[in-house]
């Protein structure tokens, strides 16, 4: 089983791992853990310590937290494998045999969210442009200019995306990132799922700056061409923390779109096990997501394609399929509707596992757009809905950086202005409703007038 191992080495080692200008290896952190085949190609990652308010619970994400990367507070994560035959024994013995071991966690397979079914597209990306009032956003100066929009997926092919959009795009190669062992140039990866996500994100934010992070191209033994390991997402988020902290505090703007998730408990520890990912707020990835959101990043995850009416064949959770970071209280979990505003049958329904009220909102999918899978195939799944919504968030951040409107405030605004599709304000099919960019514009105008 692939695992993440959290350690507390000496403060000087923690400081070296946390310093983006230094280089620390797995051997520097954990040279020899009994029964663990360490992956020495993986660069160790510093995991910040959550610090609650006085009397708070450090294991709850549903509260205000600060995060410390100080050498005396942070821990370090490496990855490796433990034989299935020895798993239970090693999990028990590791902390006793090695005093630096804090915990052992699942490193589950993560996969993109393509859709099931063979229905043709409903409308095209120009319909989405109209529904998102992209002209209205542009008139307010909200076009994504200067906003970093990170696409964590299979890599982007800028030539293809540019050709389909009919306009140039901006991609910052220096702030992009590849997992260890993945070779390729940012913006130069084969046309696939990641190109679709990039195209869809640029519908509402045509002048955003793309960052290319192909986390789904890392390989596991026996894996497919389009899956990765959660540990690579941990490393990607750690990289994005340095990207965010390099921005001036008064104009921070980083939007992260994630159209992937963990579909099966096969690669996870059981619910209730301290190493579990799906339901565990203390898993290192869930903590790193929290720390990045607290630092000013907007994080969006696809809700997934495990809706009851049309489940993806990979969906192995019998209920509550919105798991792990896709159900994190600090992210926007995005369901899918077509351009007629009807929920698509594959869009996962809540409740979520880390927090109940998921998905947060729905966005548009199943339209003709990127042509990443052929001219007749729609941009589909919550894989498309998530970057469409991320584009709206990036557009807003052009004028309203995190210093003016914190990520939690923007999430509240998007929920409050969503076009409600129920009688109760929230339901587990649509969340709070369908994203309404015109409503967002009106609300921000009122907010600006109050603070003027």
């Amino acid at each position: 089983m692939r695992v993440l191992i959290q350690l507390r080495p000496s403060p000087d080692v923690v400081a070296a791992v946390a310093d983006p200008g230094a280089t620390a290896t797995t051997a520097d952190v954990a040279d020899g853990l009994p029964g663990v085949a360490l992956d020495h190609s993986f660069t160790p990652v510093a995991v910040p310590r959550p610090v609650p308010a006085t009397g708070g619970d450090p294991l709850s994400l549903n509260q205000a937290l600060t995060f410390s990367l100080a050498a005396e507070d942070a821990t370090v994560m490496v990855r490796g494998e433990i034989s299935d035959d020895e798993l239970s024994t090693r999990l028990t013995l590791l902390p006793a045999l090695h005093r630096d071991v804090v915990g052992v966690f699942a490193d589950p397979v993560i996969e993109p969210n393509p859709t099931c079914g063979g229905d043709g597209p409903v409308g095209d990306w120009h319909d989405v442009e109209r529904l998102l009032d992209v002209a209205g956003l542009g008139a307010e100066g909200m076009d994504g200019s200067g906003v970093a929009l990170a696409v964590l997926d299979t890599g982007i092919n800028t030539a293809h995306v540019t050709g389909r959009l009919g306009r140039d795009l901006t991609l910052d190669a220096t702030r992009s990132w590849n997992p260890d062992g993945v070779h390729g140039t940012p913006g130069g990866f084969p046309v696939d799922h990641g190109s679709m996500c990039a195209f869809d994100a640029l519908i509402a934010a045509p002048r955003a700056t793309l960052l290319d992070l192909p986390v789904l191209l890392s390989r596991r033994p026996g894996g497919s061409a389009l899956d990765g390991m959660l540990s690579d997402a941990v490393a990607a988020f750690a990289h994005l923390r340095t990207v965010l902290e390099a921005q001036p505090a008064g104009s921070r703007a980083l939007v992260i779109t994630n159209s992937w998730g963990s579909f099966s408990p096969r690669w996870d520890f059981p619910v209730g096990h301290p190493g579990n990912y799906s339901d565990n707020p203390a898993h290192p990835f869930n903590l790193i997501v929290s720390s990045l959101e607290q630092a000013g990043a907007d994080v969006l995850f696809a809700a997934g394609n495990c809706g009851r009416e049309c489940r993806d064949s990979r969906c192995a959770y019998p209920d509550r399929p919105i798991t792990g970071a896709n159900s994190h209280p600090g992210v926007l979990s995005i369901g899918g509707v077509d351009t007629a505003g009807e929920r698509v049958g594959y869009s996962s329904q809540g409740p979520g596992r880390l927090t109940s009220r998921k998905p947060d909102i729905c966005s548009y999918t199943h339209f003709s757009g990127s042509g990443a899978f052929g001219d007749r195939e729609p941009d589909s799944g919550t894989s498309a809905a998530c970057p469409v919504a991320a584009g709206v968030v990036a557009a807003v951040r052009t004028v309203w950086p995190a210093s003016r409107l914190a990520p939690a405030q923007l999430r509240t605004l998007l929920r409050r202005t969503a076009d409600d599709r129920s009688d109760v304000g929230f339901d587990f099919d649509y969340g709070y409703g369908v994203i309404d960019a015109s409503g967002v514009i009106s609300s921000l105008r009122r907010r600006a007038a109050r603070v003027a």
Side-chain angles (χ1 to χ4, degrees):
M1 181 175 183
R2 294 293 296 261
V3 293
L4 303 174
I5 303 166
Q6 189 177 12
L7 303 108
R8 194 181 302 280
S10 61
D12 60 316
V13 173
V14 176
V17 173
D19 182 357
T23 301
T25 68
T26 292
D28 296 327
V29 175
D31 190 11
L33 293 176
V36 180
L38 290 170
D39 182 351
H40 289 277
S41 70
F42 182 78
T43 302
V45 175
V47 179
R49 176 190 172 208
V51 182
T54 302
D57 179 1
L59 297 183
S60 173
L61 301 179
N62 294 295
Q63 63 179 327
L65 292 169
T66 58
F67 290 84
S68 174
L69 271 174
E72 63 272 16
D73 291 332
T75 54
V76 175
M77 191 198 78
V78 297
R79 75 179 179 191
E81 292 187 39
I82 299 176
S83 168
D84 290 342
D85 295 337
E86 299 182 338
L87 188 60
S88 60
T89 303
R90 291 300 177 188
L91 291 176
T92 302
L93 291 177
L94 262 179
L97 294 174
H98 201 293
R99 62 185 177 84
D100 290 347
V101 173
V102 175
V104 182
F105 298 87
D107 186 11
V109 171
I110 56 175
E111 301 176 89
N113 286 303
T115 183
C116 59
D119 293 343
V122 180
D124 64 20
W125 70 277
H126 294 294
D127 294 312
V128 176
E129 211 173 27
R130 173 180 53 81
L131 289 163
L132 296 179
D133 193 12
V134 172
L137 288 168
E140 299 289 322
M142 300 180 190
D143 60 5
S145 295
V147 176
L149 204 171
V151 180
L152 276 68
D153 212 271
T154 64
I156 301 169
N157 187 291
T158 54
H160 177 83
V161 176
T162 298
R164 297 293 294 195
L165 286 170
R167 59 177 181 253
D168 291 336
L169 62 81
T170 302
L171 185 144
D172 188 338
T174 61
R175 292 189 290 171
S176 297
W177 174 91
N178 283 3
D180 293 319
V182 172
H183 305 289
T185 303
F189 292 96
V191 177
D192 214 306
H193 194 263
S195 295
M196 179 193 76
C197 293
F199 178 97
D200 294 341
L202 293 175
I203 293 174
R207 298 183 66 83
T209 299
L210 296 177
L211 310 185
D212 193 1
L213 294 90
V215 296
L216 297 180
L217 291 187
S218 60
R219 297 290 191 270
R220 62 182 173 88
S224 73
L226 294 183
D227 64 24
M229 304 303 296
L230 188 65
S231 48
D232 289 313
V234 175
F237 269 65
H239 166 77
L240 289 172
R241 173 95 186 212
T242 68
V243 169
L244 187 66
E245 291 178 343
Q247 297 177 349
S251 58
R252 284 186 176 175
L254 173 62
V255 181
I256 308 168
T257 182
N258 304 272
S259 291
W260 49 267
S262 180
F263 287 86
S264 173
R266 174 187 175 193
W267 306 101
D268 202 352
F269 289 114
V271 174
H273 188 285
N276 169 262
Y277 166 63
S278 65
D279 293 63
N280 183 8
H283 190 282
F285 185 58
N286 294 327
L287 291 178
I288 283 184
V289 170
S290 293
S291 71
L292 204 53
E293 184 272 346
Q294 189 267 339
D298 299 293
V299 185
L300 294 87
F301 272 88
N305 297 338
C306 298
R308 286 186 291 272
E309 298 88 340
C310 179
R311 292 169 64 87
D312 186 293
S313 62
R314 297 167 299 169
C315 298
Y317 287 97
D319 58 9
R320 299 174 65 204
I322 309 177
T323 69
N326 303 63
S327 66
H328 194 292
V331 314
L332 280 169
S333 178
I334 308 297
V337 295
D338 62 25
T339 56
E342 296 298 321
R343 179 182 156 270
V344 289
Y346 49 71
S347 182
S348 292
Q349 292 133 313
R353 289 179 176 251
L354 292 187
T355 194
S356 175
R357 290 201 166 194
K358 296 293 176 177
D360 291 274
I361 58 174
C362 285
S363 182
Y364 297 105
T365 185
H366 219 86
F367 55 87
S368 178
S370 70
F373 306 106
D375 288 338
R376 295 185 179 183
E377 293 298 319
D379 288 9
S380 62
T382 55
S383 279
C386 183
V388 167
V392 175
V393 173
V396 170
R397 288 298 183 206
T398 319
V399 178
W400 293 83
S403 59
R404 294 188 69 192
L405 191 70
Q409 293 174 310
L410 181 50
R411 291 196 302 275
T412 298
L413 174 63
L414 289 165
R415 295 174 188 134
R416 183 168 53 79
T417 58
D419 181 11
D420 186 12
R421 295 306 173 94
S422 73
D423 298 326
V424 294
F426 175 88
D427 64 77
F428 291 125
D429 288 336
Y430 289 90
Y432 287 92
V434 179
I435 193 167
D436 181 0
S438 296
V440 170
I441 292 169
S442 297
S443 182
L444 289 174
R445 282 176 181 163
R446 293 192 294 271
R447 185 183 183 93
R450 289 196 301 270
V451 300

